[in-house]
């Protein structure tokens, strides 16, 4: 089963067991998060309803991305500015895609 989730203003196609790198989320390594903004879900070529569907994930690590150099220059004015930036990322491992209500009823 796969799902398309939105987090950090971007969309990701995920399946159980996948690892994805997303914009920074609160939490420490080893804690679990729930991604509730599911846009699409399905299995194979068959699409399923996304009402009440959630994606469970575990935080693997909090990391920084590659350094991006920001260089500004105005020619013939002796104006040069160099700056670097490293974006904060969270590495997630998708543990399950499923209905939160179905998981609760199955556990009872």
């Amino acid at each position: 089963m796969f799902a398309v989730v939105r987090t950090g203003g971007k969309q990701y196609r995920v399946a159980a067991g996948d690892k994805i790198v997303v914009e920074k989320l609160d939490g420490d390594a080893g804690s679990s998060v729930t991604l509730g903004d599911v846009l699409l879900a399905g299995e194979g070529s068959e699409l399923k309803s996304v009402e009440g569907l959630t994606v469970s994930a575990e935080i693997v690590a909090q990391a920084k991305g590659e350094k991006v150099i920001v260089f500004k220059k105005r020619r013939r004015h002796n104006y040069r500015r160099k700056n670097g930036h490293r974006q904060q990322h969270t590495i997630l491992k998708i543990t399950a895609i499923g209905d939160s209500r179905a998981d609760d009823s199955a556990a009872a």
Side-chain angles (χ1 to χ4, degrees), residues 3-14:
V4 176
V5 295
R6 178 175 30 207
T7 178
K10 298 178 183 74
Q11 298 174 7
Y12 301 91
R13 183 186 189 276
V14 297

Side-chain angles (χ1 to χ4, degrees), residues 26-37:
D26 291 334
D28 296 326
S31 63
S32 62
V33 294
T34 302
L35 304 173
D37 197 4

Side-chain angles (χ1 to χ4, degrees), residues 39-78:
L39 305 174
L40 182 76
E43 191 152 358
S45 62
E46 178 184 331
L47 297 180
K48 299 191 177 200
S49 173
V50 296
E51 290 206 20
L53 195 68
T54 59
V55 175
S56 300
E58 177 185 347
I59 296 177
V60 176
Q62 302 283 6
K64 287 186 174 182
E66 293 293 316
K67 181 174 264 193
V68 176
I69 303 297
V70 179
F71 185 74
K72 299 178 182 179
K73 179 180 179 180
R74 297 205 177 120
R75 60 186 190 156
R76 297 188 299 271
H77 289 282
N78 195 26

Side-chain angles (χ1 to χ4, degrees), residues 21 61-67 85-91:
V21 178
Q62 302 283 6
K64 287 186 174 182
E66 293 293 316
K67 181 174 264 193
H85 175 74
R86 291 184 73 186
Q87 186 68 33
Q88 299 281 337
H89 292 298
T90 301
I91 302 171

